[in-house]
Amino acid sequence: MSLKAGIVGLPNVGKSTLFNAITNSHVEAANYPFATINPNTGVVNVPDERLTFLTNLFQPKRSIPATFEFYDIAGLVRGASKGEGLGNQFLGHIRECDAIVEVVRCFDSSEIIHVEESVDPKRDIETINLELAMADLATVQKRLAAVETKARISKDKELVHEVDVLKKILPFLENGEPARKVPLSEDDKIFATKQYQLLTLKPIIYVANVSDSDYSDIESCKYYHIVKEIAESEHAQVIPISCEIEYELSSLPKEERMEFLQTLGASESGLDKVTKAVYKLLNLSTFFTCGADECRAWTFKNGMLAPQCAGIIHSDFEKGFIKAEIYSFEDLVTYKSELALKEAGKLRMEGKTYIMQDGDCVFFRFNV
């Protein structure tokens, strides 16, 4: 599945440094606004200890983790919704993403320029959210102008419903608040997301980019608590990381990386936390295919049926789906082998109506 998370924020807050660390790549991270104009794209492995277990057990020729894409999107500035700072181009890149990772600067430094000339996480978040809300407001107003009269005259149920949804969203955007705060039903959220690609309806995670010293004592960082309070008001998650530390970690061999993390009193990197959090934010889960040739993790949306998941591997698998042989990862950990699972009656045959579960290990049978 091709899913994208966009890294956004004001210029010089650590977006490109975070992206470099996530993808272990080397995009430009310069100390001036608009160092990033075109979005950099990186494919990210989703950390999953279960795949490591399966690989050690089956000893396949290759092991392939689940992945998704991160976009490093250029810094937004005040007035972006009106085209300031190449704003229209940047907002267009955000529309292509499924989720937003908003990086917020939470450290003081006289060496790194701040586009607003001071560090203020609350102001910075409000600036980003306001620009996204104003862009959405223009979208909603334009659509309302096109359908409101027609809906009133024709009484068409679909148009009346659309106007109702738009009018629920409108006052929030007029107040500069994100559409995700609107109390919409899940169906209406899906409808609005597909129909209008509203920026502020996309799920969001805040990343508080803190100093090296604050990272080891995060509760003492006043800027982090500001971001945390805002995130909680939006029912969003905030993850504190030091982008500089994460970039250093990304360049180390795995063994040295773990030693470094231990000195920080951490069991996993901030980047692993961000990656897992975005995966969860997008309502994604993982199923596995296992064998002597390959152990592989596959990404699917929660609620997908077995044939749909078969189609993720190949469209022919979905077209000619017969059944799926499935056992759970947890049962494999208990019984240690597929033979023992079969003897214990833990190997199941599932049909077209089976809803796939996170951690399912599956062999699809099909005929085209």
Side-chain angles (χ1 to χ4, degrees), residues 4-278:
K4 307 181 187 73
I7 304 174
V8 306
L10 295 177
N12 300 340
V13 296
K15 301 186 317 308
S16 293
T17 304
L18 175 64
F19 180 82
N20 288 344
I22 286 176
T23 61
N24 202 19
S25 61
H26 301 282
V27 304
E28 186 174 14
N31 184 25
Y32 55 88
F34 310 122
T36 309
I37 295 177
N38 295 315
N40 299 291
T41 307
V43 177
V44 182
N45 292 337
V46 179
D48 197 324
E49 296 79 6
R50 296 173 298 181
L51 182 62
T52 303
F53 178 92
L54 294 170
T55 301
N56 291 335
L57 181 66
F58 286 90
Q59 295 292 307
K61 295 175 183 177
R62 58 186 178 272
S63 178
I64 304 175
T67 62
F68 61 84
E69 290 181 272
F70 269 103
Y71 271 19
D72 175 29
I73 296 170
L76 291 168
V77 295
R78 196 179 302 276
S81 59
K82 299 177 182 177
E84 295 294 329
L86 303 178
N88 290 332
Q89 185 178 348
F90 300 163
L91 292 170
H93 293 151
I94 299 173
R95 291 190 197 283
E96 298 174 13
C97 297
D98 301 286
I100 294 173
V101 176
E102 184 170 332
V103 181
V104 186
R105 179 169 166 176
C106 293
F107 64 90
D108 293 306
S109 172
S110 59
E111 297 177 359
I112 301 177
I113 301 166
H114 192 293
V115 71
E116 298 280 2
E117 300 183 351
S118 64
V119 177
D120 184 341
K122 185 174 186 293
R123 177 204 58 211
D124 293 353
I125 289 173
E126 288 174 349
T127 296
I128 295 291
N129 287 349
L130 179 62
E131 294 306 325
L132 299 184
M134 291 302 98
D136 283 349
L137 178 61
T139 299
V140 169
Q141 288 175 330
K142 183 177 180 181
R143 184 57 184 168
L144 262 178
V147 300
E148 187 172 14
T149 300
K150 187 176 180 180
R152 187 174 64 252
I153 295 172
S154 69
K155 307 295 184 184
D156 180 274
K157 288 185 178 179
E158 290 186 6
L159 287 179
V160 170
H161 173 252
E162 182 177 358
V163 169
D164 180 58
V165 172
L166 289 169
K167 286 190 172 182
K168 286 179 181 177
I169 296 173
L170 183 64
F172 282 79
L173 298 176
E174 288 176 331
N175 289 328
E177 295 186 88
R180 57 182 166 271
K181 283 191 172 183
V182 182
L184 296 174
S185 69
E186 199 59 38
D187 287 343
D188 284 347
K189 285 181 182 177
I190 294 171
F191 169 78
T193 299
K194 288 182 178 179
Q195 194 79 9
Y196 317 119
Q197 287 294 297
L198 296 183
L199 304 172
T200 61
L201 204 53
K202 294 180 184 294
I204 189 170
I205 285 177
Y206 290 100
V207 169
N209 183 16
V210 303
S211 67
D212 297 3
S213 58
D214 282 335
Y215 185 66
S216 56
D217 185 19
I218 193 62
E219 292 305 318
S220 67
C221 179
K222 62 180 181 179
Y223 293 141
Y224 164 69
H225 285 287
I226 292 171
V227 179
K228 185 178 180 181
E229 184 177 337
I230 293 171
E232 288 175 349
S233 73
E234 297 183 11
H235 304 291
Q237 187 175 354
V238 57
I239 300 175
I241 71 171
S242 166
C243 291
E244 288 295 337
I245 287 178
E246 298 300 331
Y247 183 57
E248 290 178 32
L249 277 170
S250 71
S251 63
L252 295 176
K254 187 175 181 180
E255 296 75 17
E256 292 182 30
R257 196 181 307 165
M258 292 308 299
E259 290 177 8
F260 192 176
L261 283 171
Q262 287 174 4
T263 65
L264 297 172
S267 58
E268 61 180 344
S269 71
L271 294 183
D272 282 350
K273 292 178 183 177
V274 171
T275 304
K276 290 178 180 179
V278 174

